[in-house]
Amino acid sequence: MGNKPLISFVIPAHNASQTVGRTVNSIISQCDDSKKIEIIIVENTSTDNTNEICEKFARENDNVSFYHSEKGVSNARNKGIAVAEGEWLFFIDADDYLLPDSIAHLLTDAQKMDDDLIIYNYQSGNSRIYLTDNNISFNEDNVLAIKEKMLKNPTKFMTVWGKLFRKSTVIENDVKFNPELVLSEDSDFIIQACEFIKNASIRSDFIYHYSINKDSTVHQVDGKKILNYTKALEVSEKTILRQEPDLAKAYNSYILMHLNLIMVHEIFAIQNGQRWFAKLKSLKSLVKSPIFARALNTIKIYECRSGRMIPILLLKLRLYNLTGILCKIRDYQNNAKAN
């Protein structure tokens, strides 16, 4: 490819034949100078014609490369990191796409910013997610504030897409996706990276479109979410304990937000055919597990005043039936958004 690109776009692709073309085109169509970016597509064990589509992109575009990895999105992203030549990494899923004029904003920031991490506003389905109204920068004196904010708001912040990561920060500190994690592997990556992030920014530009997929892993009732989320939380907690003590409290909120996810997307999900009594039994068992019990005992009632914390408040008051009803309503609302 000659000169080193400024940004490496890493696209993991598994059975993505229906959407990966839109993803790649959303990048290619915006870039006037192909040498400034590279697009790395990493296919992992697809059974459709994802391979053929991606191979065609690689043949027809000098700045598109195509690789294979072992099964799993973590393996695919790690492969992308390993082969990337850009100064910055930008992860984009194969069913999502960049919004118009995004490349211009990304290249401008990549050229002038000294940060380790740059975060952008994004669209989720038809909704705009405002992480900030104004550009905000954090340095070594106050970067802890953005780390805490991210942990306390994981559904908004703790995804790897829609962000620029300085590649040297990732590579030099051996930050990798954990292939053993089925859920929250992207959040774990960010938690690892946070240990080494000295400067960060949140930009007001809208860069990324996240496609709501009701068939995604997080929305499927498979009976494994409790185990998989718990494993991810325990793994990430080890990393948190190596960092600033103040992050441990923020991580407590992170744990409780995952408790919300489990209740909404697994225990009280519409697709869960268990009887109500069995669901309540699962919930009572869950809140007794060490990592969730510790988080519930630590948080104070006055800290549960926001809407998203109401289920946690109800759990602290042991109002399990009301907790279940509220979570069921939220699952109905989530399904309505996805349809």
Side-chain angles (χ1 to χ4, degrees):
M1 288 177 56
N3 296 331
K4 298 285 187 180
L6 195 58
I7 303 174
S8 297
F9 291 89
V10 178
I11 307 173
H14 173 74
N15 288 343
S17 61
Q18 299 298 313
T19 58
V20 69
R22 178 183 63 181
T23 304
V24 177
N25 281 322
S26 74
I27 304 171
I28 293 174
S29 63
Q30 296 186 40
C31 193
D32 295 329
D33 186 352
S34 63
K35 293 181 180 179
K36 290 184 178 180
I37 69 167
E38 67 171 345
I39 300 170
I40 301 166
I41 310 172
V42 186
E43 185 278 330
N44 57 110
T45 64
S46 296
T47 56
D48 60 4
N49 63 330
T50 296
N51 281 286
E52 291 81 356
I53 294 171
C54 296
E55 286 171 350
K56 187 172 186 292
F57 273 113
R59 286 195 307 270
E60 295 178 353
N61 299 274
D62 291 338
N63 63 338
V64 177
S65 54
F66 180 49
Y67 298 88
H68 298 277
S69 75
E70 295 181 12
K71 185 177 181 180
V73 66
S74 290
N75 286 318
R77 288 172 176 158
N78 284 337
K79 179 69 175 181
I81 293 171
V83 301
E85 296 186 348
E87 294 180 28
W88 295 85
L89 297 167
F90 189 99
F91 299 100
I92 177 168
D93 288 346
D95 55 351
D96 299 335
Y97 55 90
L98 294 187
L99 296 172
D101 302 319
S102 294
I103 293 290
H105 293 301
L106 291 171
L107 287 174
T108 298
D109 290 344
Q111 288 171 327
K112 72 178 184 180
M113 306 289 281
D114 293 325
D115 297 294
D116 301 300
L117 172 67
I118 307 175
I119 304 167
Y120 295 91
N121 289 333
Y122 60 92
Q123 286 185 356
S124 177
N126 295 321
S127 301
R128 283 194 153 200
I129 307 301
Y130 287 86
L131 303 180
T132 184
D133 292 323
N134 303 296
N135 295 333
I136 308 174
S137 294
F138 302 86
N139 56 32
E140 289 192 57
D141 294 330
N142 64 355
V143 72
L144 180 62
I146 182 55
K147 296 177 183 180
E148 290 178 317
K149 186 179 183 70
M150 291 169 69
L151 284 171
K152 291 178 179 179
N153 299 273
T155 54
K156 285 188 174 182
F157 282 96
M158 298 297 284
T159 55
V160 292
W161 44 257
K163 299 172 177 65
L164 280 172
F165 294 85
R166 187 172 294 279
K167 192 184 71 173
S168 60
T169 303
V170 172
I171 296 293
E172 292 171 9
N173 296 292
D174 199 30
V175 177
K176 294 180 179 178
F177 291 91
N178 189 336
E180 296 183 1
L181 299 183
V182 178
L183 293 170
S184 293
E185 73 289 333
D186 49 351
S187 298
D188 181 70
F189 180 90
I190 293 176
I191 288 170
Q192 291 180 60
C194 277
E195 187 172 0
F196 310 103
I197 289 172
K198 305 301 182 185
N199 299 281
S201 293
I202 310 179
R203 310 294 285 175
S204 60
D205 305 303
F206 282 84
I207 298 294
Y208 194 95
H209 181 276
Y210 169 71
S211 301
I212 299 174
N213 180 6
K214 65 180 180 180
D215 296 322
S216 66
T217 303
V218 72
H219 291 106
Q220 292 298 305
V221 175
D222 57 6
K224 299 178 182 178
K225 278 193 181 63
I226 293 175
L227 176 64
N228 289 330
Y229 271 131
T230 301
K231 179 178 180 179
L233 290 169
E234 291 172 347
V235 168
S236 296
E237 187 174 44
K238 294 176 182 178
T239 305
I240 286 291
L241 294 176
R242 296 198 301 264
Q243 301 184 46
E244 297 92 333
D246 288 346
L247 283 185
K249 184 175 181 180
Y251 191 71
N252 197 65
S253 297
Y254 176 83
I255 292 170
L256 294 175
M257 290 302 97
H258 281 74
L259 178 55
N260 270 343
L261 286 174
I262 294 171
M263 291 190 295
V264 172
H265 294 304
E266 182 74 20
I267 297 177
F268 297 105
I270 298 170
Q271 300 96 324
N272 187 342
Q274 287 185 314
R275 293 182 179 275
W276 190 254
F277 176 79
K279 294 179 180 181
L280 293 178
K281 185 177 179 180
S282 294
L283 175 59
K284 292 175 183 179
S285 175
L286 175 64
V287 298
K288 290 179 181 178
S289 62
I291 197 161
F292 293 114
R294 186 168 64 249
L296 282 168
N297 289 334
T298 301
I299 196 162
K300 307 301 182 184
I301 286 180
Y302 70 83
E303 296 176 297
C304 301
R305 291 174 293 184
S306 64
R308 63 187 183 142
M309 293 297 290
I310 291 176
I312 304 303
L313 173 62
L314 295 176
L315 284 178
K316 284 187 71 68
L317 299 175
R318 299 184 181 181
L319 299 173
Y320 300 114
N321 268 298
L322 283 177
T323 304
I325 292 170
L326 179 57
C327 290
K328 191 171 183 178
I329 291 171
R330 288 190 174 178
D331 190 45
Y332 274 111
Q333 293 172 335
N334 290 339
N335 277 272
K337 288 180 182 179
N339 292 325

